């Protein structure tokens, strides 16, 4: 049987991983209509239904699930083979996938320090809302939030920061009771990421009763939610790593006192890549910097 075009296979694998055509398109840098066209052409070529659409997004059929697992493995093998014949380039450059909020608010200000210490390594930072499994063959490693989906990864836990509500000082002046009474958050304007789930989990972990129906804008990424809070639009959830500078400058204020800990930030890569010189240097620097910042934040 004819081998399907690689762009169609990559599009299908990304949709299978995200369960969403638009998010797959964002990762691949394509228009969502192009990704949908790839899906249709692939299904026609293999003469099988691989996906079904639902209100929640794209759902794999059993055939699609089996095919996606094998395609993911094949793409990973292609990526590894390509790196094996590019030793010189691999040793001098790294492409790191990273959550947008962590990339913008933590990594970008600190990258000059890494470049000063390791001028021989060229870092390419690729922010994106991508699930942690390194199926994307352009990434050498990835910084994610929560455990990686695939079980065959080497993982370094960077930090498990507190998650707490924040707002701007001038917003808090208009709602002074929330400075100490977290129970009042149930009626406050809440700012969400991609869904209401994070706030719902936080309320439960904090021992508070969440309103039956959570409302407020969904801004998809943590850094957008934090920025909206800084602009006085309501209350967002944040942590020391993505809003430490704003807390220190007074641009944001933590509401109340809470000790909720959710998912960890992790760095992960395939086992065969873990101890390559460039990645090992980046990993050691990253772990040390994050832990240093966490220690400083807890002393403040």
């Amino acid at each position: 049987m004819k081998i399907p075009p690689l762009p169609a296979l990559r599009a299908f694998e990304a949709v299978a991983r995200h369960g969403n055509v638009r998010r797959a398109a964002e990762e691949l840098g394509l228009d969502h209509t192009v990704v949908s066209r790839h899906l249709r052409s692939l299904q026609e070529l293999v003469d099988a239904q691989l996906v079904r659409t639902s209100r929640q997004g794209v759902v794999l059929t059993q055939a699609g699930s089996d095919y996606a697992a094998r395609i993911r493995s094949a793409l990973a093998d292609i990526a590894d083979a390509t790196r094996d014949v590019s030793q010189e380039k691999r040793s001098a450059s790294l492409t790191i996938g990273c959550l947008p909020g962590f990339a913008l608010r933590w990594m970008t200000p600190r990258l000059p320090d890494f470049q000063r210490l390791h001028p021989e390594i060229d870092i390419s930072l690729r922010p994106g809302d991508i699930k942690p499994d390194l199926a994307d063959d352009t990434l050498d490693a990835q910084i994610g939030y929560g455990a990686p989906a695939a079980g065959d990864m080497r993982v370094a836990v960077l930090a498990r920061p507190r998650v707490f509500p924040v707002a701007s000082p001038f917003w808090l002046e208009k709602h002074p009771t929330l400075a100490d009474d977290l129970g009042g958050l149930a009626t406050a304007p809440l700012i969400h990421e991609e869904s209401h789930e994070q706030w719902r989990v936080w309320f439960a972990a904090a021992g508070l009763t969440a309103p039956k129906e959570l409302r407020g804008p969904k801004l998809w990424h943590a850094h957008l939610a934090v920025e909206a809070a800084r602009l006085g639009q309501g209350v967002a959830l944040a942590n020391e790593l993505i809003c430490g500078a704003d807390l220190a400058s007074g641009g944001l204020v933590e509401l109340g006192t809470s000790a909720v800990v959710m998912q960890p930030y992790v760095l992960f890569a395939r086992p065969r890549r873990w101890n390559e010189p460039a990645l090992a240097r980046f990993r050691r620097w990253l772990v040390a910097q994050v832990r240093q910042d966490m220690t400083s934040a807890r002393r403040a």
Side-chain angles (χ1 to χ4, degrees), residues 16 34 48 50 63 75 100 117 119 125 128 161 177 219 231-233 238 241-243 269:
V34 175
L50 303 175
L75 290 175
L117 293 171
L125 191 62
T177 59
L219 302 184
L231 294 173
Q233 297 174 13
L241 290 178
I242 66 170
C243 72

Side-chain angles (χ1 to χ4, degrees), residues 20-102:
N20 185 286
V21 171
R22 289 186 179 275
R23 292 177 67 178
E26 178 184 341
E27 174 186 321
L28 297 172
L30 299 173
D31 187 270
H32 72 279
T33 58
V34 175
V35 173
S36 296
R37 188 162 62 247
H38 282 319
L39 279 181
R40 288 194 300 271
S41 66
L42 181 61
Q43 291 184 117
E44 291 172 1
L45 180 62
V46 301
D47 193 23
Q49 185 173 11
L50 303 175
V51 299
R52 293 190 180 93
T53 57
S54 71
R55 295 179 62 183
Q56 288 72 40
V58 175
V59 179
L60 296 177
T61 63
Q62 185 58 54
S65 180
D66 295 341
Y67 192 47
R70 297 181 69 176
I71 292 302
R72 183 173 296 117
S73 176
L75 290 175
D77 286 344
I78 292 171
D80 288 340
T82 302
R83 291 188 180 99
D84 285 345
V85 297
S86 305
Q87 286 281 349
E88 182 177 351
K89 182 177 180 180
R90 185 178 73 227
S91 65
S93 66
L94 290 173
T95 300
I96 307 296
C98 190
L99 295 166
F102 191 87

Side-chain angles (χ1 to χ4, degrees), residues 100-127:
F102 191 87
L104 175 67
R105 291 181 164 266
W106 192 92
M107 183 70 74
T108 303
R110 291 164 178 79
L111 272 181
D113 177 63
F114 178 80
Q115 298 283 225
R116 178 182 58 80
L117 293 171
H118 301 286
E120 76 284 2
I121 301 175
D122 182 22
I123 290 284
S124 295
L125 191 62
R126 185 173 145 187

Side-chain angles (χ1 to χ4, degrees), residues 161-164 238-245 247 293-294 297-298:
R162 277 192 318 118
V163 178
F164 46 82
N239 62 62
E240 297 104 321
L241 290 178
I242 66 170
C243 72
L247 292 171
D293 280 13
M294 290 295 295
R298 287 166 181 167

